[in-house]
């Protein structure tokens, strides 16, 4: 306020000095986010932000502290907006710290401004700064949490885009992109995959699912390939003139008529991707890319997988910031449904996916012996998964199979240590050995769910391989044998405590609303009770008030110099009611006597006043 | 209590309330508010965050925008609600003089983190207070007249300093405050006043003893010995004392005509003349016009004179009885 924040030129008023602390925390949090975004140690960014805040608040006495602080917070807010995207790490915790510190800074700055105004002579002092800050901070925090939880998803869904072109990728983006993001006709089991924490894309979806990329059906002992040929017309080019394109269902897709729609919006964070990831059985794709390539297995790409990556045109793929939306449709299945699936698979499925694979005899014998006791496809697959879980271990540091050795044989009988590719390959090979149609699928696991926004954050390290098994009358169902395999001890799991908050957002929001109402109403309720108690204790004030009201109605108001006894006398004459004389005497006794008026006298006076 | 008239046309206020002269604010005028730099910053962050985040599908950016917008909304709504629930009672002295600082006892009722308060007419300094709270608010009495109410202003920007809400209240006083004109430097005016004033029943102002012997009376214990009239005492055989005529009264009839370009100067001059005359031992009769009605009477002291002049307005003043020396004061 103009003329309100007065500062001595020689220094900052003590009331403002405390503002420096939350301001430093706020800018420190934003600095940490910005540092990580720039691949700089977060501590440097945090220190830079904190020092900038301290200098701004404490070392600029010629500028009103309020103005300097607000400008600093504004710059911090812009930095938070700039770096709030997902580009490596989860910023949720730091953004929450920034938000809380910003709010506290504003509260303290306003309180400091108030303390600069001279106090009313003989007036009541302000409540302690800590108490006011805590109370206000708690209320405002609850309101902000409720608003964020309630409005962020709806605002994004109402205003957000389902399709966005993003940056145009360059050949450099293409060459540096992970192999899991580029369509390929071959998956080698003899090379170690590149896994990092780099965020490759995020997904806005109502629930988790595996983000399916490609399938492979031919195993040669060391790698998987796909039997679909681009040149023989098995791939279909889907052109569209509108914002969306319908994906024709595959012949073995039983969900096309009875399935449940599941919508996902993907935002690419990596520099390049030509695989269109989606939950199984994509039906509608909304994208600006044209055309899409659809494989016979229903998977979608933007480039010919048979072409070497160097031949592909980079701009045809998705670049950073590109957004597309997929609507998938799948049958809601249960274990019982899978167990009861009867009949023979279609001949084409059997021919392509159920032939005995190229592997060692002992692998085939193992598969048949493990599944001998099961009576249906589901139980046989679960038996294979259980065997893998009991006899193998998951490790990213597992040794590569020697050259010329069957990878599945080496994994099952020698190393018994591997990652998802070996484990899933083993399940597919053993399932086929047992006559079960199976294929290998690559893509990404759901990833971690961001606490603030609810989006699934998918990183390079979330690249995964799993198996799909065909069930007659139901279709292809995914099985993840890696989840059955225990960790080898060198694998760390990750999770976010904030994710739990997000998952329980609705009940927390309800609780927050209730707390806000209680916190806002409780002081009023307590004050009202104190007022009622005060009124009960002051009988004489209440009785005098009633006497005066009766007198006003009779046209004779009480003069300030009149005692209650005198006034009651006058009213007694005016109204012709001698009982008022006693009422006046009782009031005088209650007001001025040390003992107060007896209860009987009070009751009689009350009765008289009520009768008036 | 008699209803007080007012110079500026305010309706009289009948004090028929309970103990104490303070009354609650009855007429509230919703004042404006001011947005601060903080509001601009928050609104900008909110708009940019929501627009950019929604456009690019980045919910974290939207969350930052929503946070800023929420603070913006809270910062505007909170002070509006907290000020709207406040009420003020004011207690004031009954008399003052133009130029004096009047100390108003203010009671702020309600519930809010804090608030600033100041008196208006003229606008005074801001003072902070807790709510509920009470204190003494200095206010300059700059206008002559009788005032049944005062205007106070409340403001707050708590808790976020986004929006400064101001609210003006007109608070009725239980007993009107009479602001008398400040006496200007003026000489006393002492002329002989007619003795018929005695017959009218007006108060007798006997000061000291005159020179003319009016009669004798029997001695009463305590009479000065020098007043004993020995010849008469010897003749009568009892001690008698002289009784003197009271000294002739001196004073002036102030006729204050405020029809003119400088009514306040005239009122101050009249107050100065009256005060000087009273201080010199004279009697003062004051004739003014109150509410269009000529009013004139003797004033016993400076306070009564001040009150008379506080109520005076433009109009034909009352004329003194026959024989009074008139001192006309015109605006």
């Amino acid at each position: 306020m103009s003329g309100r924040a007065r500062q001595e030129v020689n220094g900052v008023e003590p009331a403002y000095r405390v503002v420096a602390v939350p301001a430093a925390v706020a800018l420190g949090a934003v600095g940490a986010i910005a540092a990580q975004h720039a691949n700089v140690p977060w501590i440097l960014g945090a220190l830079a932000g904190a020092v900038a805040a301290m200098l701004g608040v404490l070392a600029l006495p010629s500028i009103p502290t309020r103005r300097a602080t607000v400008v600093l917070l504004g710059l911090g807010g812009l930095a938070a907006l700039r770096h709030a995207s997902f580009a490596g790490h989860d910023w949720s915790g730091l953004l929450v710290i920034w938000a809380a510190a910003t709010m506290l800074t504003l509260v303290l700055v306003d309180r400091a401004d108030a303390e600069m105004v001279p106090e009313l002579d003989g007036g009541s002092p302000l409540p302690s700064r800590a108490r006011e800050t805590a109370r206000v901070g708690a209320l405002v925090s609850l309101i902000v949490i409720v608003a964020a939880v309630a409005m962020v998803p709806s605002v994004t869904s109402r205003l957000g885009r389902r399709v966005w072109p993003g940056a145009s990728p360059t050949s450099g983006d293409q060459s540096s992109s992970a192999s899991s993001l580029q369509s390929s006709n071959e998956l080698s089991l003899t090379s170690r995959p590149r896994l990092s924490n780099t965020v490759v894309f995020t997904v806005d979806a109502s629930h988790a699912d595996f983000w399916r990329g490609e399938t492979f059906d031919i195993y040669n002992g060391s790698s998987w390939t796909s039997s679909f040929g681009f040149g023989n017309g098995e791939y279909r080019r889907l052109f569209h003139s509108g914002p969306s394109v319908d994906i024709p269902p595959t012949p073995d897709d039983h969900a096309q008529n009875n399935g449940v729609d599941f919508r996902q919006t993907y935002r690419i964070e990596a520099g390049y991707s030509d695989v269109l990831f989606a939950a199984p059985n994509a039906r509608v794709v909304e994208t600006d890319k044209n055309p899409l390539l659809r494989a016979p297995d229903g998977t979608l790409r933007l480039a010919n997988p048979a072409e070497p990556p160097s031949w592909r045109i980079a701009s045809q793929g998705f670049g950073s910031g590109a957004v597309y939306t997929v609507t998938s449709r799948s049958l809601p299945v249960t274990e019982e449904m899978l167990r009861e699936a009867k009949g023979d698979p279609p001949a084409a499925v059997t021919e392509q996916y159920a032939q005995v694979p190229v592997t060692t005899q002992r692998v085939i014998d193992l598969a048949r012996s493990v599944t001998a006791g099961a009576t249906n496809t589901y139980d046989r697959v679960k038996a294979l998964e259980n065997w893998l879980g009991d006899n193998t271990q998951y490790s990213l540091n597992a040794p590569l199979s020697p050259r010329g050795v069957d990878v599945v044989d080496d994994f099952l009988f020698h190393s018994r240590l591997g990652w998802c590719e070996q484990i899933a390959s083993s399940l597919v090979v053993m399932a086929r050995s047992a006559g079960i149609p199976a294929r290998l699928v690559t893509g990404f696991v759901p990833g971690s769910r961001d606490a603030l926004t609810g989006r699934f954050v998918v990183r390079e390290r979330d690249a995964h391989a799993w198996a799909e098994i065909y069930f007659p009358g139901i279709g292809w169902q995914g099985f993840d044998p890696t989840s059955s395999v225990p960790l080898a001890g060198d694998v760390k799991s990750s999770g976010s405590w904030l994710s739990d908050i997000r998952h329980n957002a609705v009940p927390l929001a309800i609780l927050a609303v209730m707390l806000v109402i209680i916190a806002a109403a409780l002081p009023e309720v307590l004050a009202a009770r104190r007022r009622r108690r005060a009124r009960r204790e002051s009988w004489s004030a209440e009785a005098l008030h009633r006497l005066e009201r009766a007198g006003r109605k009779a046209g004779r108001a009480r003069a300030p110099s009149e005692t209650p006894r005198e006034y009651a006398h006058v009213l007694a004459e005016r109204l012709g009611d001698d009982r008022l004389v006693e009422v006046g005497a009782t009031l005088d006794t209650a007001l001025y006597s040390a003992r107060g008026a007896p209860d009987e006298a009070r009751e009689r006076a009350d009765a008289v006043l009520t009768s008036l | 209590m008699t209803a007080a008239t007012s110079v500026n046309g305010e309706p009289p206020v009948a004090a028929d309330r309970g103990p104490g002269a303070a009354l609650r604010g009855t007429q509230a005028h919703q004042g404006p508010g001011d947005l601060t730099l903080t509001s601009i910053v928050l609104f900008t962050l909110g708009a940019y965050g929501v627009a950019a985040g929604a456009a690019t599908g980045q919910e974290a950016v939207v969350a930052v925008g929503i946070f800023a917008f929420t603070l913006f909304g809270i910062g505007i709504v909170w002070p509006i609600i907290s000020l709207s629930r406040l009420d003020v009672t004011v207690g004031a002295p009954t008399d003052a003089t133009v130029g004096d600082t009047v100390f108003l006892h203010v009671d702020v009722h309600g519930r809010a983190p804090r608030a600033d308060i100041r008196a208006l007419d003229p606008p005074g300094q801001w003072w902070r207070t807790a709510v509920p709270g009470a204190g003494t608010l200095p206010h300059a009495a700059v206008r002559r007249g009788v005032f049944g109410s005062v205007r106070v202003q409340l403001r707050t920007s708590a808790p976020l300093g986004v929006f400064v809400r101001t609210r003006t209240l007109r608070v009725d006083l239980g007993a009107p405050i009479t602001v008398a004109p400040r006496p200007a430097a003026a000489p006393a005016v002492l002329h002989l006043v007619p003795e018929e004033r005695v017959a009218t029943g007006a108060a007798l102002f006997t000061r000291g003893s005159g020179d003319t012997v009016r009669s004798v009376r029997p001695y009463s214990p305590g009479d000065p010995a020098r007043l004993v009239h020995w010849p008469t005492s010897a003749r009568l055989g009892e001690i008698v004392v002289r009784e003197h005529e009271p000294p002739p009264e001196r004073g002036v009839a102030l006729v204050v005509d405020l029809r003119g370009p400088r009514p306040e100067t005239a009122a101050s001059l009249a107050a100065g003349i009256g005060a000087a005359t009273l201080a010199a031992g004279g009697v003062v009769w004051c004739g003014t016009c109150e509410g269009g009605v000529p009013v004139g009477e003797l004033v016993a002291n400076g306070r009564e004179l001040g009150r008379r002049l506080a109520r005076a307005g433009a109009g034909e003043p009352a004329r003194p009885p026959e024989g009074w020396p008139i001192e006309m004061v015109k605006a």
Side-chain angles (χ1 to χ4, degrees):
Chain A
M1 286 179 267
S2 60
R4 196 180 188 199
R6 297 184 182 81
Q7 283 178 220
E8 297 177 3
V9 177
N10 294 329
V12 176
E13 290 289 341
Y16 286 101
R17 291 177 192 162
V18 71
V19 171
V21 174
V25 172
L27 264 68
V30 170
I33 295 174
Q36 292 183 82
H37 206 269
N39 294 320
V40 173
W42 69 269
I43 189 66
L44 292 179
L47 279 174
V51 168
M54 291 281 192
L55 288 175
V57 173
L58 300 175
L60 296 174
S62 60
I63 300 176
T65 304
R66 186 192 188 100
R67 192 175 302 169
T69 305
V70 171
V71 169
L72 282 172
L73 291 180
L75 293 175
L78 286 176
L81 287 173
R82 170 67 181 84
H83 298 294
S85 60
F86 304 99
H89 298 272
D90 186 355
W91 311 129
S92 302
L94 288 173
L95 280 179
V96 171
I97 292 172
W98 165 80
T102 297
M103 181 198 62
L104 282 176
T105 305
L106 291 176
V107 171
L108 287 172
V109 159
D110 189 70
R111 169 65 188 241
D113 268 4
E115 292 180 8
M116 297 300 295
V117 179
E119 189 178 348
L120 198 61
D121 190 20
S124 311
L126 295 181
S128 73
R129 188 183 303 142
R131 184 179 166 195
E132 180 185 330
T133 304
R135 181 168 173 264
V136 169
L139 275 176
V140 173
S141 299
L142 286 173
I143 296 172
V144 167
I145 290 171
V146 169
V149 168
M151 293 176 62
V152 169
S154 60
V155 166
T156 308
S157 65
R158 283 180 185 279
L159 302 179
R161 294 178 184 274
R162 293 291 175 190
V163 176
W164 191 252
S168 182
T170 63
S171 56
D173 295 327
Q174 185 185 38
S175 60
S176 63
S177 179
S179 58
S180 53
L181 299 174
Q182 303 187 47
S183 61
S184 173
N185 221 20
E186 180 180 357
L187 175 69
S188 172
L189 299 178
T190 57
S191 60
R192 203 175 298 279
R194 185 179 97 178
L195 300 174
S196 72
N197 280 331
T198 304
V199 176
V200 291
F201 60 84
T202 62
V203 186
D204 181 14
S206 58
H207 60 264
D209 207 327
F210 280 21
W211 317 123
R212 194 163 170 267
E214 299 175 298
T215 68
F216 302 92
D217 57 338
I218 299 177
Y219 175 67
N220 64 4
S222 62
S223 66
W224 285 89
T225 56
S226 176
S227 62
F228 309 130
F230 191 80
N232 58 10
E234 287 181 305
Y235 275 88
R236 281 184 63 178
R237 290 180 187 271
L238 301 177
F239 290 89
H240 61 102
S241 57
S244 64
V245 55
D246 293 332
I247 309 300
T250 58
D252 47 10
D253 181 1
H254 297 274
Q256 54 184 302
N257 294 321
N258 303 321
V260 175
D261 283 351
F262 172 42
R263 198 170 192 190
Q264 324 110 55
T265 299
Y266 296 79
R267 179 189 156 84
I268 306 299
E269 301 290 343
Y272 175 85
S273 173
D274 57 30
V275 176
L276 210 144
F277 297 94
N281 305 326
R283 277 293 158 269
V284 179
V285 176
E286 298 165 62
T287 179
D288 65 321
K289 293 298 181 185
N290 215 354
L292 303 181
L293 301 180
R294 175 192 167 279
D297 59 2
T299 55
L300 300 163
R301 295 161 182 76
L302 299 176
N304 180 1
E307 275 183 351
S310 57
W311 289 15
R312 302 174 192 175
I313 300 174
S315 58
Q316 286 184 338
F318 289 123
S320 176
V323 178
Y324 67 90
T325 301
V326 178
T327 302
S328 302
R329 185 175 299 165
S330 56
L331 275 177
V333 296
T334 63
E335 271 189 30
E336 287 310 306
M337 289 171 64
L338 294 176
R339 283 201 172 91
E340 292 170 6
K342 300 237 183 319
D344 294 326
V349 172
T350 304
E351 181 180 343
Q352 187 168 2
Y353 297 107
Q355 301 300 319
V356 175
V358 176
T359 186
T360 61
Q361 187 59 44
R362 59 180 179 174
V363 170
I364 297 171
D365 295 337
L366 175 63
R368 288 173 180 169
S369 70
V370 169
T371 59
T375 58
N376 57 72
T377 301
Y378 178 78
D379 285 337
R380 284 191 288 173
V381 174
K382 292 307 289 183
L384 290 171
E385 278 192 340
N386 291 338
W387 190 93
L388 287 169
D390 293 338
N391 295 278
T392 62
Q393 282 187 321
Y394 179 92
S395 173
L396 288 171
N397 298 322
L400 294 173
S401 297
R403 190 183 292 273
V405 173
D406 186 285
V407 173
V408 172
D409 179 273
D410 181 67
F411 171 69
L412 292 176
F413 294 101
H414 183 67
S415 67
R416 303 228 171 159
L417 204 61
W419 56 87
C420 58
E421 288 171 356
Q422 287 91 341
I423 299 169
S425 298
S426 299
L427 179 62
V428 173
V429 168
M430 288 202 292
R432 284 190 176 176
S433 301
I436 302 171
R439 63 190 179 188
L440 187 73
V441 184
T442 59
F444 288 85
V445 294
S448 60
R449 202 164 197 182
D450 181 74
L452 275 181
T453 63
R455 296 181 73 93
F456 293 96
V457 181
V458 182
R459 295 176 169 79
E460 268 190 18
R461 67 165 192 255
D462 295 322
H464 196 50
W466 62 96
E468 282 185 348
I469 307 295
Y470 186 84
F471 290 81
I474 294 177
W476 291 97
Q477 292 297 314
F479 282 81
D480 183 21
T482 309
S483 62
S484 308
V485 175
L487 300 174
D490 60 349
V491 180
K492 296 178 184 53
S493 61
S494 64
S496 170
W497 59 271
L498 291 175
S499 300
D500 294 332
I501 296 177
R502 178 65 192 182
H503 288 316
N504 296 291
V506 172
L508 282 175
I510 294 173
L511 178 64
V513 168
M514 291 172 59
L515 287 174
V516 167
I517 293 172
I518 291 172
L522 186 62
E524 289 298 323
V525 169
L526 293 176
R529 289 178 64 182
R530 280 196 297 270
R531 284 193 296 269
R532 277 199 298 272
R533 198 179 313 126
R535 280 200 296 270
R536 280 198 299 272
E537 291 170 354
S538 180
W539 172 87
S540 52
E542 176 67 22
L544 180 59
H545 180 68
R546 293 169 68 189
L547 183 67
E548 289 170 346
R549 192 165 58 216
R552 284 197 298 274
K553 285 183 184 174
R556 174 54 165 91
R558 175 174 166 267
S561 58
E562 278 184 312
T563 65
R565 186 191 294 265
E566 292 170 347
Y567 185 53
H569 263 284
V570 170
L571 284 187
E573 289 178 12
R574 196 179 185 94
L575 299 176
D577 190 343
D578 291 339
R579 299 177 300 167
L580 287 172
V581 175
E582 187 187 351
V583 170
T586 304
L587 272 172
D588 258 12
T589 306
L591 280 168
Y592 305 119
S593 162
R595 286 194 305 256
D599 290 340
E600 307 84 46
R602 290 191 185 191
E603 288 170 7
R604 286 196 296 273
D606 281 336
V608 171
L609 291 172
T610 303
S611 69
L612 293 178
Chain B
M1 179 179 172
T2 58
T5 57
S6 60
V7 171
N8 52 10
E10 295 177 65
V13 175
D16 55 352
R17 314 278 176 161
L23 291 175
R24 288 186 177 271
T26 55
Q27 301 167 31
H29 298 274
Q30 295 294 331
D34 296 311
L35 289 173
T36 65
L37 175 63
T38 308
S39 66
I40 298 172
V41 169
L42 288 175
F43 186 85
T44 305
L45 288 177
Y48 178 68
V50 169
T56 57
Q58 297 191 79
E59 290 195 0
V61 179
V62 174
V64 172
I66 294 292
F67 165 75
F69 262 143
T70 304
L71 289 188
F72 178 80
I74 292 173
I76 290 180
V77 171
W78 193 310
I80 291 176
I81 292 177
S82 64
L83 266 198
S84 68
R85 293 160 44 186
L86 299 189
D87 201 0
V88 177
T89 57
V90 177
T94 53
D95 292 282
T97 305
V98 170
D100 284 351
T101 296
V102 178
F103 292 95
L104 308 174
H105 180 79
V106 293
D107 247 301
V108 184
H109 308 274
R111 193 162 188 88
R114 55 188 129 78
D116 297 339
I117 186 170
R118 70 172 179 179
L120 296 179
D121 309 319
Q125 182 185 5
W126 286 105
W127 302 85
R128 75 171 146 88
T129 177
V131 181
T136 303
L137 188 66
H139 180 52
V142 297
R143 285 194 302 144
R144 175 185 63 90
V146 179
F147 304 96
S149 63
V150 293
R151 289 203 310 156
V152 296
Q153 208 168 38
L154 295 169
R155 78 174 180 189
T156 184
S157 64
L160 297 173
V162 172
F163 178 66
V164 182
R165 174 69 173 152
T166 308
R167 186 174 169 223
T168 303
L169 288 167
R170 181 176 290 277
V171 183
D172 296 328
L173 300 172
I177 178 171
T178 303
V179 181
R182 179 160 291 279
V189 178
L190 294 165
H191 299 292
L192 285 176
V193 298
E195 294 195 8
E196 289 78 11
R197 180 190 63 77
V198 176
T200 63
L204 286 174
F205 299 98
T206 55
R207 295 181 185 84
S209 59
D211 296 330
T212 307
V213 176
R214 183 173 64 182
S215 67
V216 296
R217 59 170 175 79
Y219 172 81
S220 295
D223 289 335
R226 60 180 173 85
L227 294 182
V228 176
H229 194 263
W230 296 108
T232 306
S233 299
R235 189 170 61 250
L236 294 178
E238 59 175 326
I239 297 177
V240 297
V241 295
R242 295 188 295 274
E243 201 173 53
H244 293 270
E245 287 284 350
E249 294 276 21
R250 292 182 181 272
V252 68
L254 277 175
V255 178
V256 186
D257 186 350
L258 298 183
R259 295 172 294 181
R262 293 186 295 274
E264 302 308 317
T265 305
S268 290
L269 181 60
I273 295 173
T277 303
L278 287 169
V283 298
V284 175
W285 186 96
C286 184
T288 59
C289 177
E290 294 181 14
V293 177
V295 173
E297 64 178 17
L298 281 168
V299 292
N301 48 44
R303 184 169 178 234
E304 281 190 22
L305 176 64
R307 287 190 163 196
R308 182 62 54 205
L309 292 173
R311 290 175 170 79
E316 179 69 33
R319 296 291 170 174
E322 186 73 26
W324 271 85
I326 295 176
E327 182 73 19
M328 177 69 73
V329 180
K330 291 179 69 68

